Amino acid sequence: MRPILVTGALGQIGAELTPALRKAFGAARVIASDLPEAQSADGAYERLDCTQAEAVADLIGRQDVGAVYHLAAILSAIAEDRPQDAWRVNMDGLYNVLEAARRFGCKVFFPSSIAAFGPSTPRRHTPQTTIQRPTTIYGVTKVAGELLCDYYATRFGVDVRGLRLPGLVSWAAPPGGGTTDYAVEMFHSAARRRRYFCFLRPETRLDMMYMPDAIRAMIDLMEADPKRLRYANAYNVTAMSVTPREIAAEIRRHTSLFAVDYCVDPKRQAIADSWPESLDAEAAREDWGFSPRFGLADMTRDMLARLGAATGRFDDPVSSEAPNADAGIG
Ligand code: NAD
Ligand code: SER
């Protein structure tokens, strides 16, 4: 088997995808890469700026890479502050990876997003094939990315596969500046017994998925029989459709002192309001057996247990950081 390259490997997804790939295919076969000069203790690491076409081609050619999980990107909230950078990293980076994949014959995984939809898309049970007119620069790069992947698949025969991922909740690495980050931050606040100031309105409904389900979906899709994939590079996937208020209520089943205030950030609220409330993931189920294991209750239990274990504080009795009981509006 030829080596696997993970770009953007130090981010929220890469921090868990890289070890999962190493466990599945062998540590020696997985090369992590990202912007810092960091060294990975657990396997090969190379610094790679994916906007540098020659560097991308050099690494893929030199290491005889057979598959690229292309995670390097700028996420929705930061992208709205730096749209020119977002276009450069998200589009030039993908183009450079696809070009190298064409030249050296490798498979590519492309993570699209619920952001590939926009306000004119049906918001509930958003179909696999529907209107895609996003109003954020991040969403524009995701739709354009899906189309570019389609083009490389049909024109050059590159085997590109992808998921339209919902907001991902995880404990191993912090989220990288997205609109769904609130969900992760809420768990960290709960584990530290701190009040959480949520930047979205309490009833903002969005799709979410727990990271273990997302990692399994990525690897399953990349290993699936290509003949069964009708929508190879952009499958809708989701595990739950939830609001900040519902997540807070589930957390309070475990720690009644948890409280949330809502301090709405208009920029991120506008982004969230332009995204679907719930995706239809039937095509992923039918074509390659997508089947998430974690709903809101299981995810909450696991997140709190893991953060509690990591910080050693979750089981503490009421600390000085505990919010006033009447402060919770969540
Ligand atoms: P992240 O922000 O946590 O990590 C992205 C990584 O990319 C960072 O480590 C960053 O250093 C790296 N990076 C940025 N610019 C780079 C460049 N020029 N060259 C190389 N590396 C660069 O993001 P993530 O949450 O891990 O997301 C990974 C991918 O999945 C992205 O394409 C994102 O759009 C997509 N996605 C994520 C989510 C989510 O909820 N996390 C949901 C949908 C889609
Ligand atoms: N979680 C991502 C974001 O909020 C969705 O792609 O940007």
Side-chain angles (χ1 to χ4, degrees), residues 239-253:
M240 63 198 90
S241 165
V242 289
T243 66
R245 195 192 293 285
E246 288 168 356
I247 298 177
E250 190 62 34
I251 291 173
R252 264 197 296 278
R253 286 161 57 90

mmCIF file with all atom_site columns, all heavy atoms in Angstrom, residues 239-253:
data_model
loop_
_atom_site.group_PDB
_atom_site.id
_atom_site.type_symbol
_atom_site.label_atom_id
_atom_site.label_alt_id
_atom_site.label_comp_id
_atom_site.label_asym_id
_atom_site.label_entity_id
_atom_site.label_seq_id
_atom_site.pdbx_PDB_ins_code
_atom_site.Cartn_x
_atom_site.Cartn_y
_atom_site.Cartn_z
_atom_site.occupancy
_atom_site.B_iso_or_equiv
_atom_site.pdbx_formal_charge
_atom_site.auth_seq_id
_atom_site.auth_comp_id
_atom_site.auth_asym_id
_atom_site.auth_atom_id
_atom_site.pdbx_PDB_model_num
ATOM 1   N N   . ALA A 1 239 ? -25.484 13.355 12.156 1.00 0.00 ? 239 ALA A N   1
ATOM 2   C CA  . ALA A 1 239 ? -25.882 12.422 13.216 1.00 0.00 ? 239 ALA A CA  1
ATOM 3   C C   . ALA A 1 239 ? -26.986 12.997 14.091 1.00 0.00 ? 239 ALA A C   1
ATOM 4   O O   . ALA A 1 239 ? -27.699 12.252 14.757 1.00 0.00 ? 239 ALA A O   1
ATOM 5   C CB  . ALA A 1 239 ? -24.673 12.069 14.079 1.00 0.00 ? 239 ALA A CB  1
ATOM 6   N N   . MET A 1 240 ? -27.094 14.325 14.140 1.00 0.00 ? 240 MET A N   1
ATOM 7   C CA  . MET A 1 240 ? -28.131 14.939 14.981 1.00 0.00 ? 240 MET A CA  1
ATOM 8   C C   . MET A 1 240 ? -28.368 16.367 14.491 1.00 0.00 ? 240 MET A C   1
ATOM 9   O O   . MET A 1 240 ? -27.494 16.979 13.880 1.00 0.00 ? 240 MET A O   1
ATOM 10  C CB  . MET A 1 240 ? -27.689 14.941 16.449 1.00 0.00 ? 240 MET A CB  1
ATOM 11  C CG  . MET A 1 240 ? -26.461 15.748 16.722 1.00 0.00 ? 240 MET A CG  1
ATOM 12  S SD  . MET A 1 240 ? -25.660 15.354 18.299 1.00 0.00 ? 240 MET A SD  1
ATOM 13  C CE  . MET A 1 240 ? -24.514 14.060 17.835 1.00 0.00 ? 240 MET A CE  1
ATOM 14  N N   . SER A 1 241 ? -29.565 16.851 14.786 1.00 0.00 ? 241 SER A N   1
ATOM 15  C CA  . SER A 1 241 ? -29.917 18.230 14.443 1.00 0.00 ? 241 SER A CA  1
ATOM 16  C C   . SER A 1 241 ? -30.308 18.885 15.767 1.00 0.00 ? 241 SER A C   1
ATOM 17  O O   . SER A 1 241 ? -31.326 18.528 16.356 1.00 0.00 ? 241 SER A O   1
ATOM 18  C CB  . SER A 1 241 ? -31.088 18.187 13.450 1.00 0.00 ? 241 SER A CB  1
ATOM 19  O OG  . SER A 1 241 ? -31.686 19.456 13.354 1.00 0.00 ? 241 SER A OG  1
ATOM 20  N N   . VAL A 1 242 ? -29.464 19.810 16.259 1.00 0.00 ? 242 VAL A N   1
ATOM 21  C CA  . VAL A 1 242 ? -29.616 20.286 17.639 1.00 0.00 ? 242 VAL A CA  1
ATOM 22  C C   . VAL A 1 242 ? -29.448 21.806 17.739 1.00 0.00 ? 242 VAL A C   1
ATOM 23  O O   . VAL A 1 242 ? -28.858 22.437 16.860 1.00 0.00 ? 242 VAL A O   1
ATOM 24  C CB  . VAL A 1 242 ? -28.584 19.608 18.579 1.00 0.00 ? 242 VAL A CB  1
ATOM 25  C CG1 . VAL A 1 242 ? -28.918 18.148 18.803 1.00 0.00 ? 242 VAL A CG1 1
ATOM 26  C CG2 . VAL A 1 242 ? -27.177 19.766 18.046 1.00 0.00 ? 242 VAL A CG2 1
ATOM 27  N N   . THR A 1 243 ? -29.937 22.335 18.860 1.00 0.00 ? 243 THR A N   1
ATOM 28  C CA  . THR A 1 243 ? -29.787 23.769 19.149 1.00 0.00 ? 243 THR A CA  1
ATOM 29  C C   . THR A 1 243 ? -28.872 23.927 20.364 1.00 0.00 ? 243 THR A C   1
ATOM 30  O O   . THR A 1 243 ? -28.697 22.979 21.149 1.00 0.00 ? 243 THR A O   1
ATOM 31  C CB  . THR A 1 243 ? -31.154 24.387 19.497 1.00 0.00 ? 243 THR A CB  1
ATOM 32  O OG1 . THR A 1 243 ? -31.601 23.822 20.732 1.00 0.00 ? 243 THR A OG1 1
ATOM 33  C CG2 . THR A 1 243 ? -32.190 24.151 18.408 1.00 0.00 ? 243 THR A CG2 1
ATOM 34  N N   . PRO A 1 244 ? -28.336 25.133 20.572 1.00 0.00 ? 244 PRO A N   1
ATOM 35  C CA  . PRO A 1 244 ? -27.551 25.371 21.795 1.00 0.00 ? 244 PRO A CA  1
ATOM 36  C C   . PRO A 1 244 ? -28.360 25.054 23.056 1.00 0.00 ? 244 PRO A C   1
ATOM 37  O O   . PRO A 1 244 ? -27.838 24.459 24.007 1.00 0.00 ? 244 PRO A O   1
ATOM 38  C CB  . PRO A 1 244 ? -27.221 26.862 21.712 1.00 0.00 ? 244 PRO A CB  1
ATOM 39  C CG  . PRO A 1 244 ? -27.191 27.155 20.244 1.00 0.00 ? 244 PRO A CG  1
ATOM 40  C CD  . PRO A 1 244 ? -28.265 26.291 19.641 1.00 0.00 ? 244 PRO A CD  1
ATOM 41  N N   . ARG A 1 245 ? -29.634 25.411 23.057 1.00 0.00 ? 245 ARG A N   1
ATOM 42  C CA  . ARG A 1 245 ? -30.443 25.150 24.255 1.00 0.00 ? 245 ARG A CA  1
ATOM 43  C C   . ARG A 1 245 ? -30.553 23.650 24.532 1.00 0.00 ? 245 ARG A C   1
ATOM 44  O O   . ARG A 1 245 ? -30.502 23.205 25.676 1.00 0.00 ? 245 ARG A O   1
ATOM 45  C CB  . ARG A 1 245 ? -31.845 25.755 24.088 1.00 0.00 ? 245 ARG A CB  1
ATOM 46  C CG  . ARG A 1 245 ? -32.601 25.834 25.411 1.00 0.00 ? 245 ARG A CG  1
ATOM 47  C CD  . ARG A 1 245 ? -34.067 26.150 25.224 1.00 0.00 ? 245 ARG A CD  1
ATOM 48  N NE  . ARG A 1 245 ? -34.379 27.454 24.711 1.00 0.00 ? 245 ARG A NE  1
ATOM 49  C CZ  . ARG A 1 245 ? -34.309 28.591 25.421 1.00 0.00 ? 245 ARG A CZ  1
ATOM 50  N NH1 . ARG A 1 245 ? -33.895 28.566 26.662 1.00 0.00 ? 245 ARG A NH1 1
ATOM 51  N NH2 . ARG A 1 245 ? -34.636 29.728 24.871 1.00 0.00 ? 245 ARG A NH2 1
ATOM 52  N N   . GLU A 1 246 ? -30.699 22.858 23.464 1.00 0.00 ? 246 GLU A N   1
ATOM 53  C CA  . GLU A 1 246 ? -30.832 21.400 23.651 1.00 0.00 ? 246 GLU A CA  1
ATOM 54  C C   . GLU A 1 246 ? -29.519 20.780 24.142 1.00 0.00 ? 246 GLU A C   1
ATOM 55  O O   . GLU A 1 246 ? -29.525 19.884 24.994 1.00 0.00 ? 246 GLU A O   1
ATOM 56  C CB  . GLU A 1 246 ? -31.278 20.743 22.342 1.00 0.00 ? 246 GLU A CB  1
ATOM 57  C CG  . GLU A 1 246 ? -32.724 21.048 21.995 1.00 0.00 ? 246 GLU A CG  1
ATOM 58  C CD  . GLU A 1 246 ? -33.109 20.658 20.563 1.00 0.00 ? 246 GLU A CD  1
ATOM 59  O OE1 . GLU A 1 246 ? -32.229 20.215 19.794 1.00 0.00 ? 246 GLU A OE1 1
ATOM 60  O OE2 . GLU A 1 246 ? -34.292 20.839 20.225 1.00 0.00 ? 246 GLU A OE2 1
ATOM 61  N N   . ILE A 1 247 ? -28.390 21.258 23.621 1.00 0.00 ? 247 ILE A N   1
ATOM 62  C CA  . ILE A 1 247 ? -27.100 20.721 24.097 1.00 0.00 ? 247 ILE A CA  1
ATOM 63  C C   . ILE A 1 247 ? -26.905 21.097 25.562 1.00 0.00 ? 247 ILE A C   1
ATOM 64  O O   . ILE A 1 247 ? -26.511 20.254 26.386 1.00 0.00 ? 247 ILE A O   1
ATOM 65  C CB  . ILE A 1 247 ? -25.924 21.241 23.232 1.00 0.00 ? 247 ILE A CB  1
ATOM 66  C CG1 . ILE A 1 247 ? -26.072 20.780 21.787 1.00 0.00 ? 247 ILE A CG1 1
ATOM 67  C CG2 . ILE A 1 247 ? -24.594 20.760 23.810 1.00 0.00 ? 247 ILE A CG2 1
ATOM 68  C CD1 . ILE A 1 247 ? -24.996 21.313 20.842 1.00 0.00 ? 247 ILE A CD1 1
ATOM 69  N N   . ALA A 1 248 ? -27.207 22.349 25.901 1.00 0.00 ? 248 ALA A N   1
ATOM 70  C CA  . ALA A 1 248 ? -27.049 22.790 27.295 1.00 0.00 ? 248 ALA A CA  1
ATOM 71  C C   . ALA A 1 248 ? -27.927 21.962 28.228 1.00 0.00 ? 248 ALA A C   1
ATOM 72  O O   . ALA A 1 248 ? -27.496 21.553 29.320 1.00 0.00 ? 248 ALA A O   1
ATOM 73  C CB  . ALA A 1 248 ? -27.392 24.273 27.407 1.00 0.00 ? 248 ALA A CB  1
ATOM 74  N N   . ALA A 1 249 ? -29.163 21.669 27.792 1.00 0.00 ? 249 ALA A N   1
ATOM 75  C CA  . ALA A 1 249 ? -30.075 20.882 28.632 1.00 0.00 ? 249 ALA A CA  1
ATOM 76  C C   . ALA A 1 249 ? -29.523 19.471 28.839 1.00 0.00 ? 249 ALA A C   1
ATOM 77  O O   . ALA A 1 249 ? -29.607 18.909 29.940 1.00 0.00 ? 249 ALA A O   1
ATOM 78  C CB  . ALA A 1 249 ? -31.453 20.828 27.987 1.00 0.00 ? 249 ALA A CB  1
ATOM 79  N N   . GLU A 1 250 ? -28.945 18.898 27.789 1.00 0.00 ? 250 GLU A N   1
ATOM 80  C CA  . GLU A 1 250 ? -28.381 17.546 27.917 1.00 0.00 ? 250 GLU A CA  1
ATOM 81  C C   . GLU A 1 250 ? -27.169 17.561 28.855 1.00 0.00 ? 250 GLU A C   1
ATOM 82  O O   . GLU A 1 250 ? -27.006 16.652 29.677 1.00 0.00 ? 250 GLU A O   1
ATOM 83  C CB  . GLU A 1 250 ? -27.989 17.027 26.517 1.00 0.00 ? 250 GLU A CB  1
ATOM 84  C CG  . GLU A 1 250 ? -27.623 15.565 26.465 1.00 0.00 ? 250 GLU A CG  1
ATOM 85  C CD  . GLU A 1 250 ? -28.765 14.633 26.858 1.00 0.00 ? 250 GLU A CD  1
ATOM 86  O OE1 . GLU A 1 250 ? -29.936 14.940 26.566 1.00 0.00 ? 250 GLU A OE1 1
ATOM 87  O OE2 . GLU A 1 250 ? -28.466 13.587 27.482 1.00 0.00 ? 250 GLU A OE2 1
ATOM 88  N N   . ILE A 1 251 ? -26.348 18.606 28.759 1.00 0.00 ? 251 ILE A N   1
ATOM 89  C CA  . ILE A 1 251 ? -25.197 18.712 29.661 1.00 0.00 ? 251 ILE A CA  1
ATOM 90  C C   . ILE A 1 251 ? -25.685 18.848 31.102 1.00 0.00 ? 251 ILE A C   1
ATOM 91  O O   . ILE A 1 251 ? -25.120 18.240 32.030 1.00 0.00 ? 251 ILE A O   1
ATOM 92  C CB  . ILE A 1 251 ? -24.304 19.916 29.268 1.00 0.00 ? 251 ILE A CB  1
ATOM 93  C CG1 . ILE A 1 251 ? -23.612 19.651 27.927 1.00 0.00 ? 251 ILE A CG1 1
ATOM 94  C CG2 . ILE A 1 251 ? -23.266 20.202 30.355 1.00 0.00 ? 251 ILE A CG2 1
ATOM 95  C CD1 . ILE A 1 251 ? -22.828 20.840 27.361 1.00 0.00 ? 251 ILE A CD1 1
ATOM 96  N N   . ARG A 1 252 ? -26.770 19.596 31.295 1.00 0.00 ? 252 ARG A N   1
ATOM 97  C CA  . ARG A 1 252 ? -27.272 19.801 32.667 1.00 0.00 ? 252 ARG A CA  1
ATOM 98  C C   . ARG A 1 252 ? -27.820 18.519 33.284 1.00 0.00 ? 252 ARG A C   1
ATOM 99  O O   . ARG A 1 252 ? -27.958 18.426 34.495 1.00 0.00 ? 252 ARG A O   1
ATOM 100 C CB  . ARG A 1 252 ? -28.346 20.897 32.675 1.00 0.00 ? 252 ARG A CB  1
ATOM 101 C CG  . ARG A 1 252 ? -27.751 22.262 33.038 1.00 0.00 ? 252 ARG A CG  1
ATOM 102 C CD  . ARG A 1 252 ? -28.812 23.248 33.457 1.00 0.00 ? 252 ARG A CD  1
ATOM 103 N NE  . ARG A 1 252 ? -29.707 23.526 32.354 1.00 0.00 ? 252 ARG A NE  1
ATOM 104 C CZ  . ARG A 1 252 ? -29.435 24.408 31.389 1.00 0.00 ? 252 ARG A CZ  1
ATOM 105 N NH1 . ARG A 1 252 ? -28.323 25.102 31.416 1.00 0.00 ? 252 ARG A NH1 1
ATOM 106 N NH2 . ARG A 1 252 ? -30.282 24.610 30.407 1.00 0.00 ? 252 ARG A NH2 1
ATOM 107 N N   . ARG A 1 253 ? -28.110 17.511 32.458 1.00 0.00 ? 253 ARG A N   1
ATOM 108 C CA  . ARG A 1 253 ? -28.510 16.214 33.027 1.00 0.00 ? 253 ARG A CA  1
ATOM 109 C C   . ARG A 1 253 ? -27.353 15.580 33.795 1.00 0.00 ? 253 ARG A C   1
ATOM 110 O O   . ARG A 1 253 ? -27.548 14.725 34.648 1.00 0.00 ? 253 ARG A O   1
ATOM 111 C CB  . ARG A 1 253 ? -28.965 15.265 31.906 1.00 0.00 ? 253 ARG A CB  1
ATOM 112 C CG  . ARG A 1 253 ? -30.338 15.631 31.340 1.00 0.00 ? 253 ARG A CG  1
ATOM 113 C CD  . ARG A 1 253 ? -30.558 15.004 29.982 1.00 0.00 ? 253 ARG A CD  1
ATOM 114 N NE  . ARG A 1 253 ? -30.433 13.556 29.994 1.00 0.00 ? 253 ARG A NE  1
ATOM 115 C CZ  . ARG A 1 253 ? -31.428 12.713 30.219 1.00 0.00 ? 253 ARG A CZ  1
ATOM 116 N NH1 . ARG A 1 253 ? -32.625 13.168 30.428 1.00 0.00 ? 253 ARG A NH1 1
ATOM 117 N NH2 . ARG A 1 253 ? -31.221 11.417 30.220 1.00 0.00 ? 253 ARG A NH2 1
#
